[in-house]
Structures are given as C-alpha cells and as structure tokens.
Amino acid sequence: MPIASPEVYAEMLDRAKAGAFAYPAINVTSSQTLNAALQGFAEAGSDGIVQISTGGAEYASGPTVKNMITGAVALAEYATEVAKNYPVNIALHTDHCPKNKLDAYVRPLLAISKERVANGKAPLFQSHMWDGSAVPVEENLQIAEELLALSAAAHIILEIEVGVVGGEEDGVSAAIDDKLYSTVEDGLATAAALGLGEKGRYMTALTFGNVHGVYKPGNVKLRPEILKEIQDAVGAKYGKEKPFDLVFHGGSGSLLSEIHGALDYGVVKMNIDTDTQYAFTRPVVDHIMKNYDGVLKIDGEVGNKKAYDPRAWGKLAEAGLAQRVVEACEHLRSSGTTLSK
C-alpha cells in the first residue's frame, strides 16, 4: 500500500478510537530501522505510524551533516517508495519538536507539504508534533493554534502535548513530579483554544505520569483514569463523547493493564522508541559475541567476511525490531485491523 493519504489516516484514527485500539508509533533513524518497522506492521496485519524525532532526522542526514530537514525529507521519501511493497497503511509523523527547533524543523516541513498540496501532491508527512510541555500552557496553546492552521492548510494532523512527560528524550528533560499529570483545566483550555476539529484535526498527548526512557513498572505511578476525567469533563461541556484523540508517550515498562486502560479512554497512538532501540541492538550484540573471531581480524588473521558484512548482523537487527513491533501491535490491540483487508 502507498503511504496513507490524509483521508486514510483520518479513517485509521477514527477506527482506532471506535475500536478501543491504538497504533504503535515507531521512531526510526535509518533505512534499516524503517524497513524493520514496516516489516513488523505487515507481520502483525496492522496499519501503523513511523515517526522521526529531531535527533533522528539529524542523524539520518549524516553524522557530519546534521541537517534535520535533509534527514526528515530523505527518510520520508524513502518510506514513500518502499511502503508500496507492504500490505498495510503507514502514516509518517515527526516526533517531539520543542519551541527552539520549530523554525528549523516543523515549520519548514509544513511549508514543503503546503507547496506539494498546492501542486496536487500528497503532503510529505501526515502529522507533526509540537512539544510545548516546557512552556506555560497559555503560550503552548497559542503556538498550537498557529501551527494547527498551517497544518490544516497542508492536510496534516497536528499533535500537541499538554502536560509534562518526565525523563529525557533528544536532550529535553523533565523532572518526575506532580507536573506529570494533566488536569481537567488543561483539557478545557485545549478545547477552547483549538476547538474539537472545526479548526483542523489534532491529537493530544495528555500526561498521566508518563516518563521517557527506561523504567521498571512501579517506579512511576501511571494514572490512566486522568484521561477519562478529562474526556468526560470536556465531552460534557461540548456534547461529544471522547472528544480528544489521545497519544500515550513514555510507555516503556508500562503494565498491560495500564496500557489497556488508556486505550479504553481514547488513546489512538502510542509512541515506542526505547524498547525498539533495544530490540534492534540486542541481536547485533549476540552476533558479535558468537562470532568474535569472525568480526575482528584477531592476531593478524583475516576474519570472516560473512560475519562482519553489515547485512549479516543488519538482518538480525531488523528482525528483532520487527518482532517488537508485532508485540506492540498485540498489546495495543491493532493486530489484524488493517484497512487493507
């Protein structure tokens, strides 16, 4: 299938909310990790989301180039071509973008898609994220309102974050404290500023104790019921059931019961990065440990080309990441739900 059109992406999200499932959003940094994500979605029979953070885009452009736009455009164009070979729908998304990187990342990408749409083409990305968690809520929503208008004009869905995700990702850090929990007031302010679809479609990353990175269950207290409280309060005011399309950030180590609770309250997208990074790297380590004298030219020997050929360990890495995507689809109930059926 080709990369999801704006209409198909909207249908994906609608079906996810109606069916109480969510799509894994897999962070990719290279053609290999992207291929692995596509393979995983195909094996699970699930549509899905592939996303590129500012750091991932910078890396994809080349370690000495470090140009976020170059990397993001290159991976998006690559995905557009290779996704045609898989029987699932894939949406392209850009992950966390803080205020100081908007002019170097999201706004230029929106301009590229606006020009493409004006020329009768599909937007390059299907959604972009504005991470305003580090600024006051009022400023966060002012910027979101501006970006929502630009996104709607380019047939793109905007993702915002209202609340704070703890831990660290791409250099953005937040403490683990009471700020990790969004409030009903946050939800009402979001609806008042951005509407509920009439100004353009958006997804909302409300926070309920989420933390980026690695942690064991129990170290951080997730409270999915917060999502229900906010959905109910906003829904009651505007006469709309589950008014927000919600996003789950910082879910590594979450209990399955916590994940399912979030899905029942309107989460349609869950970011997965830390777990897939490990799933990609672990098979490489295993290969090197088992083929130590083959991947290295020890004591003047020649090594084993079949062992150190990047394709040898690369295939293993991709298979590992793909399997973790399959597991994510199972956990998020998206397995077998592809629109292409």
Side-chain angles (χ1 to χ4, degrees):
M1 301 291 289
I3 291 295
S5 67
E7 295 75 20
V8 167
Y9 191 24
E11 185 178 355
M12 285 168 57
L13 299 179
D14 288 342
R15 290 178 77 245
K17 186 188 284 187
F21 66 88
Y23 298 106
I26 308 300
N27 282 73
V28 300
T29 56
S30 65
S31 60
Q32 281 190 300
T33 51
L34 195 151
N35 285 340
L38 296 178
Q39 178 185 334
F41 285 124
E43 290 178 358
S46 171
D47 298 326
I49 301 168
V50 169
Q51 60 189 21
I52 307 165
S53 67
T54 56
E58 191 176 82
Y59 175 80
S61 73
T64 62
V65 176
K66 296 184 177 181
N67 185 302
M68 293 183 288
I69 297 301
T70 296
V73 170
L75 281 179
E77 294 285 13
Y78 180 84
T80 299
E81 185 59 34
V82 297
K84 297 174 184 176
N85 298 299
Y86 294 87
V88 290
N89 298 284
I90 300 296
L92 302 178
H93 175 78
T94 60
D95 200 13
H96 292 269
C97 183
K99 181 180 177 181
N100 65 339
K101 294 184 179 179
L102 282 174
D103 287 341
Y105 198 51
V106 167
R107 288 194 177 104
L109 289 173
L110 281 170
I112 290 172
S113 284
K114 180 181 179 181
E115 182 177 355
R116 288 170 60 99
V117 170
N119 291 327
K121 298 180 180 179
L124 185 60
F125 284 86
Q126 286 66 60
S127 52
H128 292 297
M129 183 190 176
W130 147 235
D131 182 354
S133 61
V135 302
V137 172
E138 183 178 352
E139 182 183 2
N140 180 350
L141 294 176
Q142 286 175 347
I143 294 173
E145 191 169 7
E146 172 229 333
L147 293 174
L148 182 59
L150 294 174
S151 299
H155 302 171
I156 287 171
I157 294 172
L158 180 68
E159 179 184 332
I160 65 169
E161 185 171 313
V162 182
V164 177
V165 176
E168 187 273 334
E169 182 172 71
D170 269 353
V172 178
S173 300
I176 299 175
D177 55 27
D178 289 344
K179 293 181 180 179
L180 301 186
Y181 302 96
S182 297
T183 65
V184 168
E185 290 71 27
D186 292 334
L188 291 169
T190 299
L194 305 183
L196 293 176
E198 67 274 12
K199 295 183 179 181
R201 186 159 188 170
Y202 63 94
M203 296 180 282
T204 312
L206 298 174
T207 57
F208 50 101
N210 320 56
V211 176
H212 287 134
V214 183
Y215 65 93
K216 294 181 179 179
N219 285 12
V220 175
K221 178 59 177 176
L222 290 177
R223 296 172 53 198
E225 66 273 11
I226 286 176
L227 303 179
K228 183 179 188 303
E229 293 171 7
I230 296 173
Q231 292 274 45
D232 287 349
V234 176
K237 180 172 181 178
Y238 292 92
K240 186 176 182 180
E241 185 180 1
K242 294 182 185 176
F244 291 128
D245 296 332
L246 299 179
V247 181
F248 188 160
H249 286 206
S252 296
S254 299
L255 298 172
L256 197 57
S257 59
E258 295 169 334
I259 293 174
H260 288 172
L263 301 184
D264 292 339
Y265 302 144
V267 165
V268 296
K269 171 180 180 281
M270 180 173 173
N271 290 7
I272 301 177
D273 187 15
T274 301
D275 288 353
T276 46
Q277 286 178 347
Y278 183 78
F280 185 82
T281 301
R282 182 63 181 83
V284 180
V285 176
D286 186 63
H287 175 78
I288 291 173
M289 297 292 281
K290 290 179 178 177
N291 297 279
Y292 186 77
D293 58 349
V295 297
L296 296 177
K297 297 181 179 181
I298 300 174
D299 295 331
E301 293 297 325
V302 296
N304 181 348
K305 184 178 183 301
K306 290 184 178 180
Y308 60 73
D309 183 335
R311 291 169 293 185
W313 49 263
K315 292 175 184 177
L316 299 173
E318 290 183 35
L321 194 157
Q323 184 54 47
R324 184 61 184 83
V325 172
V326 170
E327 180 183 327
C329 292
E330 293 171 352
H331 288 173
L332 297 182
R333 305 171 178 160
S334 71
S335 298
T337 64
T338 177
L339 289 168
S340 65
K341 291 176 63 176

